[in-house]
Amino acid sequence: MNNKKITSNLASYLVLTIVSLIVLFPFFWMVSTSLKTESEVFLFPPQWIPAAWEWINYIRVFTEMPFHLYFFNSMYIAVLVTAGTCFLSALAGYAFARLHFPFKNAIFLFLLSGMMIPTEVTAIPLFSWMSNLGFIDTHIPLILPPMLGSGGMFGVFLVRQFLITVPIELDEAAKMDGCSPWRTFRSIMLPIATPALATVSIFTFMNSWNEFFEPLIYLNTKELFTLPIGLSMLTTDAGVDWPLLLAASTIATVPILVVFFLAQNKFIEGIANTGLK
């Protein structure tokens, strides 16, 4: 029995190792190419490790383009969108899951149907609306609509589905102790909803950080560009400086990895502590 268990574990580790290497290979190639000279990029057979690590490519990212501005713009937009989406998702998800008010299910289904509408369908009406409000060439269209649109509704749906699985006895016990709905939400439901909010934060930050279509149609001033737009400017008719592009892409990937691993830790912690605090 022990031998079978050991064999099964080894097989599982082998499969996971192979899958991990496949998943990590594009990231390895991106980092490797970012440290090469332009002539090494197209060598065949490929040169997996650069002959001399060209760290100058990372310096060129900041000297040959306003990368720091693009990075800052994407960062603060993604942070605001993530924080706002998590806050609104927690409030609305709690209301739809635990409170009672007329037409609750009908309103929830109506809002949920908004997730089925593609972004391209609403692009022209939303652009016209933002133009009438004078928000074109600002970051406001990149912050408010994502929080209140399909991305925000996805967060509401996720939190609501998570909270309806929580025993109703917790609400009853809090009510007997004199807690108001707001105190019940803040002290009991919000900590319990940590796993759902961690998932919402991962998806929201990644979507906002990688968004290309909306900044493309709303922004005109170069200083307001986000990272996806800035990276696209490195591709021109004259060709692509691949080491420079992949060096910039490597730097742009770091915040996503940091947010993912931080939220992953919160996700695991939330599962372990659910119902115990």
Side-chain angles (χ1 to χ4, degrees), residues 26-42:
F27 182 75
F28 163 77
W29 182 253
M30 177 178 67
V31 176
S32 174
T33 305
S34 70
L35 295 170
K36 294 178 181 178
T37 61
E38 196 165 359
S39 60
E40 291 178 315
V41 174
F42 301 102

Side-chain angles (χ1 to χ4, degrees), residues 16 30 36 67 83-84 92 102 105 108 128 151 156 165 177 184 191 195-196 204 209 214 223-224 227 251 262:
L16 291 174
M30 177 178 67
K36 294 178 181 178
F67 185 85
N105 293 331
F108 179 72
S128 177
V156 174
T165 64
D177 289 339
T184 302
T204 303
W209 185 263
E214 292 183 355
E223 286 73 18
L224 297 177
L227 268 180
I251 299 174
L262 289 178

Side-chain angles (χ1 to χ4, degrees), residues 44-102:
F44 188 84
Q47 185 171 346
W48 304 108
I49 305 297
W53 291 11
E54 297 290 329
W55 294 105
I56 190 66
N57 292 332
Y58 287 87
I59 299 177
R60 291 173 56 213
V61 169
F62 295 93
T63 58
E64 297 186 14
M65 60 185 294
F67 185 85
H68 61 289
L69 287 179
Y70 303 154
F71 189 94
F72 173 77
N73 292 337
S74 288
M75 178 61 71
Y76 99 83
I77 290 172
V79 169
L80 289 179
V81 172
T82 302
T85 300
C86 288
F87 177 71
L88 296 176
S89 298
L91 286 175
Y94 170 72
F96 282 116
R98 316 300 288 190
L99 303 182
H100 300 284
F101 52 89

